[in-house]
Amino acid sequence: MKFDAIVGNPPKDWNEKMLNDEHYKVVKYWVNSFNAFPTVDIKGGVAVTYWDKNKTFGKIGTFVAFDEFYFEESKRKRLQAVFGFGLSRK
């Protein structure tokens, strides 16, 4: 999940803080904003998020909207070794 679309273009450290906050999760995501707001075009889609200081959800890390983009553990480790990143299911 990328927060660059928020007005004011928040700094990278804020994005990383939110994606690594274990009390924060994405509840719903629409890749096509028209599915959430029929008359509004929001590039990058719309996310509904939730934060609760009393619950631990686990960090988001890298948000990926589609299950097809998650990789099995061995493939993720190879990607991480080559490119410095990998995707895993949370």
Side-chain angles (χ1 to χ4, degrees):
M1 162 153 295
K2 203 172 169 188
F3 293 95
D4 291 354
I6 293 177
V7 174
N9 195 13
K12 184 178 179 181
D13 59 340
W14 187 86
N15 288 343
E16 289 177 8
K17 175 185 170 191
M18 297 309 293
L19 292 172
N20 289 298
D21 188 330
E22 295 198 348
H23 302 280
Y24 184 72
K25 73 176 184 173
V26 177
V27 177
K28 178 75 176 167
Y29 176 74
W30 294 274
V31 69
N32 184 338
S33 66
F34 293 113
N35 293 329
F37 303 105
T39 61
V40 180
D41 183 17
I42 301 171
K43 303 298 182 209
V46 174
V48 174
T49 60
Y50 177 71
W51 185 88
D52 188 327
K53 72 176 181 177
N54 298 313
K55 294 185 181 178
T56 302
F57 305 112
K59 70 177 187 171
I60 295 170
T62 301
F63 176 76
V64 178
F66 305 103
D67 287 342
E68 296 82 14
F69 293 114
Y70 286 101
F71 301 113
E72 63 189 44
E73 185 70 13
S74 62
K75 191 176 210 178
R76 186 182 63 77
K77 285 182 180 179
R78 287 194 310 269
L79 283 171
Q80 194 163 18
V82 173
F83 298 107
F85 72 90
L87 302 174
S88 59
R89 180 180 293 285
K90 284 284 177 191

